[in-house]
Amino acid sequence: MSPSARILVVDDDATIRGILAEALAKTGYETLEATNGSEAEHLARQHEPDLVLLDVAMPGEDGFSVCEHLKSEVSTSDTPVIFITAKTNPAHIERAFSVGGSDYITKPFHMREVRARVCAHLDLHRAVRELEKSQAALLRAQKLEAVGQLAAGVAHEINTPTQFVGDNTRFLQETFSDVVALIETLRGLSSADSPPPSADQLISTIREALDQADVDYLLAQVPRALESSLHGLKRISKIVKAMKQFSHPGSSEKEQANINRAIESTTTVARNEWRYVADLELHLDDSLPPVPCLLGDLNQVILNLIVNAAHAIADVVGDGSQGRGKITITTSQVGGEAEIRIADTGGGIPEAIHSKIFDPFFTTKEVGKGTGQGLAIVHTVITEGHGGSIDVETEVGKGTTFIIRLPLEAAPDRTEAA
Amino acid sequence: MKKILLVDDDADLLDALERNFRPHRHTWHLTTALNGAEALSLLQERPFELVITDILMPEREGLEVIMEVRRDHPEIKVIAISGGSRKMSLDVLDVARSFGAHKVLAKPFTADDLFQAIRTLLNEDVQASSPEQSLS
C-alpha cells in the first residue's frame, strides 16, 4: 500500500461518498469529502490532496468542469483525478481523459478495484515526483562539477595577466628609480652651490646621465608597459565578470535575459576548455529581444555544448598539434523563437547513434571521462524547462551543429522543480 | 654571455618579462618564442644554455619542448612555468618536473624568483642539478 496520502472524495450522493471515504480511511488514507464542484475546488485549493475521486454528474458544476479547473491551477495541476461515474458512454470516457483525468471507474464499483487503482496512481504520481527531484538534483550536481572544472581554467586565465601586470609594475618601479637618478644629476648641475661647469662638461654629464638611465629604451617601453598592464587588468576583470554572470544562482522563475551576453560570458569562462584546439567565432544578433529563460540552466546548456564541441574537435586534431578546429556560435530570431546554433568542425556523430545522443547515461567517451548526462540535461533543460526544441545536424568527417530554439513568449511555468 | 630562450604563448607576458631582463642584458642574452613549434626550431638553429617554457600552449605544448630538449640537448637547463592546469586533478608543473624540468615556477611568480632560479641553474654543475626523474 502507498504510504499515508490525502484523498478528496467528491460525490453528491452521501451514501456512495460515505462508502468510499470510509473504505479508504480504513485502508489508512486521510480523506476529505465534498458534495459538489465548488466545494471540491475550495477543499482542493486549501488542502492540496494527493488524489481526487470525482463523480461526473452532480448538481451545478459537473465533474469534467471541476477537473478542468483543478488542472488549470498550479497547486493542483499535477494531482491525479480518477472519475467514478455511472456514465459508461464512450464519449464520456473520452471526455474524462481529455480534461486531464488519470483514470475512469464505472459504478457500480468494487471497492477492491477502487483501492487498487488509487494505490497505483498514488505510486505513479510519487515516482514521477521523485524522478523530477532527481533530475533537478542531477542538474545541480552537474553544474557544481562544471564550476569546479572551470575553476582550474579560470585560475589559469587570471594567473597569466597577473604575472605580466606584476612584471610591468616591477619594470616601472625600477624605471622610476632610474628617472629619479637622472633628475638628481640635473638638479646637481643646476645647483647654485657647485661651480658652474663648462658647456662641454655640461653636455657630457647630461649625456652620461641619459645613457645611465637608458632613456631611449624607457621612452619606447614605458608606454607599452602601461598599455599592457591596463590590457591585463581588463582581461582579469572580464573573466571575473563572466564568472559572476555564469555562476548566476539561477532562479526557479524565468526571467527576461540577454542570451547573447550569456553566451559571451560562458565562452569566456570556458576559454581554457577550447582555446588549445579551436578558434571560436561568435555571430550574435544584436537585435535579438530578451528571452524568457532560467539563466543559470541555460548557461549550463551552452557550457555543455561548447565543451562537447571542443572534445569533438580534440578527437580530430589531438592536442592542437594537428591543426585547429572551429566552433561557431550564432544567434538569431526565427519567427517567434530565438535560435542558438553551436557548430563544431569535429568528427560528426555516426548515424547509428543519432537517436541515442540525448538518452541519459549514453556516452561515447571512455570510462571516467563522461557520465552520459551532458546532452540528456541539455535536452531536459531546453524542452521541459523552456518549452523549446533542440535538433542536431551532423555529418561524419565534417562536424556537428546543435540548434536550440527558445520561445520568445514565456509559456506557463510548469517546471519549478527544475 | 649565457643564452636563454623564453617560450610563452602570451605576447604581453613575453614583453613584460623581456623588460625585466633588460638590466641583465650584459650577462644574459634573451630570445623569445610564442609557441612550442617556434621554440623547437630555434633550438635546432642555435645553442642555448637555458630554456624557460610555459606548459599549456597551442601548437606543441611545453611538455614536448621539455622532452625534446632533454632528449636532444641534455646539457640545456629547463625551467617550466605555468598558470595552472586544464584539469583540477592534474598539476602540470609536477608533470613538467617528471618530464625533466630542473625548476618549476607557478604563475604568478616574481622576476626575482625567476632570476634566482636562473642563477642557480647556470652556476651549478650538471650533476648537482640533474632532474629528479628523466625519461629514458
Side-chain angles (χ1 to χ4, degrees):
Chain A
M1 188 199 94
S2 295
S4 179
R6 185 179 297 155
I7 296 170
L8 173 60
V9 181
V10 191
D11 205 304
D12 59 324
D13 183 324
T15 315
I16 294 175
R17 205 173 59 238
I19 293 170
L20 284 169
E22 196 186 328
L24 291 170
K26 268 191 194 156
T27 318
Y29 297 114
E30 180 190 340
T31 54
L32 299 163
E33 294 178 41
T35 58
N36 58 51
S38 61
E39 194 186 352
E41 287 169 26
H42 174 72
L43 285 174
R45 264 195 299 272
Q46 204 173 5
H47 298 283
E48 296 188 11
D50 298 296
L51 185 140
V52 180
L53 277 176
L54 185 57
D55 186 18
V56 174
M58 293 182 288
E61 190 181 1
D62 73 1
F64 296 139
S65 162
V66 173
C67 186
E68 272 177 330
H69 286 148
L70 293 178
K71 293 290 159 190
S72 67
E73 292 216 11
V74 175
S75 64
T76 52
S77 62
D78 286 341
T79 311
V81 173
I82 301 177
F83 286 102
I84 294 204
T85 175
K87 293 180 188 295
T88 52
N89 181 332
H92 278 110
I93 298 177
E94 198 185 313
R95 178 91 200 281
F97 288 111
S98 74
V99 294
S102 300
D103 209 345
Y104 194 92
I105 300 172
T106 50
K107 293 173 184 172
F109 53 81
H110 300 285
M111 205 51 225
R112 281 185 70 168
E113 183 190 359
V114 175
R115 272 199 293 263
R117 292 195 189 216
V118 164
C119 182
H121 281 285
L122 284 172
D123 284 347
L124 186 65
H125 185 57
R126 215 166 267 137
V128 170
R129 279 266 168 87
E130 287 299 316
L131 195 64
E132 280 171 358
K133 269 192 210 157
S134 334
Q135 238 172 7
L138 195 63
L139 182 63
R140 276 195 297 275
Q142 214 234 4
K143 192 168 176 185
L144 281 176
E145 187 194 325
V147 169
Q149 188 188 341
L150 287 179
V154 167
H156 186 258
E157 293 297 307
I158 290 177
N159 284 339
T160 300
T162 305
Q163 175 71 48
F164 69 71
V165 170
D167 292 334
N168 283 329
T169 309
R170 182 193 142 106
F171 165 71
L172 293 168
Q173 191 182 31
E174 286 186 356
T175 297
F176 186 68
S177 47
D178 293 341
V179 171
V180 168
L182 177 63
I183 292 169
E184 288 304 325
T185 306
L186 295 177
R187 252 199 198 139
L189 290 174
S190 63
S191 159
D193 298 340
S194 35
S198 70
D200 281 353
Q201 270 176 329
L202 195 63
I203 290 170
S204 123
T205 311
I206 291 174
R207 273 194 184 144
E208 201 179 311
L210 289 173
D211 277 353
Q212 194 73 36
D214 206 4
V215 164
D216 288 340
Y217 183 79
L218 299 191
L219 287 176
Q221 292 298 321
V222 168
R224 290 184 62 179
L226 289 167
E227 197 181 321
S228 151
S229 292
L230 290 174
H231 170 62
L233 291 172
K234 209 187 258 177
R235 261 168 70 175
I236 295 171
S237 117
K238 183 180 170 192
I239 190 147
V240 170
K241 262 188 212 152
M243 196 66 193
K244 200 172 151 200
Q245 269 166 26
F246 177 80
S247 57
H248 183 281
S251 145
S252 58
E253 302 277 322
K254 288 198 188 77
E255 53 194 317
Q256 297 287 339
N258 180 335
I259 56 169
N260 289 340
R261 224 174 70 195
I263 290 167
E264 279 168 347
S265 60
T266 304
T267 53
T268 301
V269 292
R271 184 165 174 262
N272 224 44
E273 305 289 323
W274 53 262
R275 72 163 172 138
Y276 298 100
V277 293
D279 297 314
L280 188 133
E281 266 183 33
L282 297 180
H283 300 287
L284 306 177
D285 178 359
D286 288 336
S287 65
L288 192 68
V291 179
C293 66
L294 302 160
L295 191 55
D297 293 355
L298 189 68
N299 281 338
Q300 184 68 36
V301 163
I302 296 163
L303 175 70
N304 284 0
L305 292 175
I306 291 173
V307 170
N308 272 3
H311 285 171
I313 289 169
D315 285 345
V316 175
V317 304
D319 60 3
S321 50
Q322 295 152 54
R324 291 166 69 73
K326 189 155 128 190
I327 301 173
T328 312
I329 306 182
T330 314
T331 58
S332 58
Q333 181 174 349
V334 178
E337 294 177 313
E339 185 182 88
I340 307 170
R341 300 174 82 96
I342 300 181
D344 67 61
T345 56
I349 303 167
E351 205 176 336
I353 61 169
H354 277 193
S355 60
K356 296 183 194 156
I357 58 168
F358 293 116
D359 291 353
F361 302 107
F362 178 76
T363 181
T364 56
K365 294 174 186 169
E366 57 193 85
V367 175
K369 268 204 153 180
T371 58
Q373 296 305 318
L375 283 179
I377 285 171
V378 164
H379 189 262
T380 305
V381 167
I382 296 301
T383 57
E384 293 178 26
H386 291 84
S389 65
I390 177 158
D391 293 303
V392 59
E393 287 172 0
T394 181
E395 194 175 334
V396 172
K398 290 215 163 161
T400 301
T401 304
F402 283 93
I403 303 145
I404 293 171
R405 290 213 172 112
L406 299 171
L408 289 166
E409 293 289 328
D413 192 3
R414 293 199 55 205
T415 54
E416 281 174 73
Chain B
M1 204 178 328
K2 298 282 174 68
K3 288 175 209 65
I4 298 174
L5 175 62
L6 171 63
V7 196
D8 199 294
D9 63 332
D10 195 297
D12 276 305
L13 188 136
L14 283 185
D15 282 352
L17 274 176
E18 209 170 358
R19 287 182 200 109
N20 281 270
F21 269 88
R22 173 79 179 174
H24 304 277
R25 61 190 180 279
H26 303 301
T27 36
W28 298 327
H29 181 269
L30 186 74
T31 306
T32 59
L34 262 171
N35 59 56
E38 196 184 326
L40 288 169
S41 83
L42 281 168
L43 279 157
Q44 304 250 317
E45 287 168 18
R46 55 187 118 140
F48 289 93
E49 271 85 19
L50 189 138
V51 173
I52 303 162
T53 182
D54 186 25
I55 302 297
L56 302 176
M57 294 182 290
E59 288 188 53
R60 325 265 327 241
E61 292 200 341
L63 292 177
E64 282 184 74
V65 174
I66 297 173
M67 265 170 63
E68 293 211 14
V69 168
R70 297 301 302 152
R71 191 188 61 211
D72 300 339
H73 313 274
E75 72 288 355
I76 299 180
K77 299 292 193 299
V78 177
I79 299 175
I81 57 176
S82 179
S85 60
R86 281 180 203 176
K87 298 279 173 277
M88 272 167 86
S89 54
L90 196 70
D91 186 333
V92 286
L93 288 176
D94 284 345
V95 181
R97 199 181 274 121
S98 72
F99 271 50
H102 299 83
K103 288 260 179 204
V104 298
L105 290 173
K107 293 177 192 168
F109 51 81
T110 67
D112 283 335
D113 291 339
L114 178 63
F115 296 152
Q116 187 52 51
I118 294 172
R119 278 188 209 104
T120 307
L121 290 180
L122 291 182
N123 293 334
E124 278 178 6
D125 63 36
V126 179
Q127 285 293 313
S129 61
S130 67
E132 288 159 34
Q133 195 186 338
S134 56
L135 293 181
S136 53

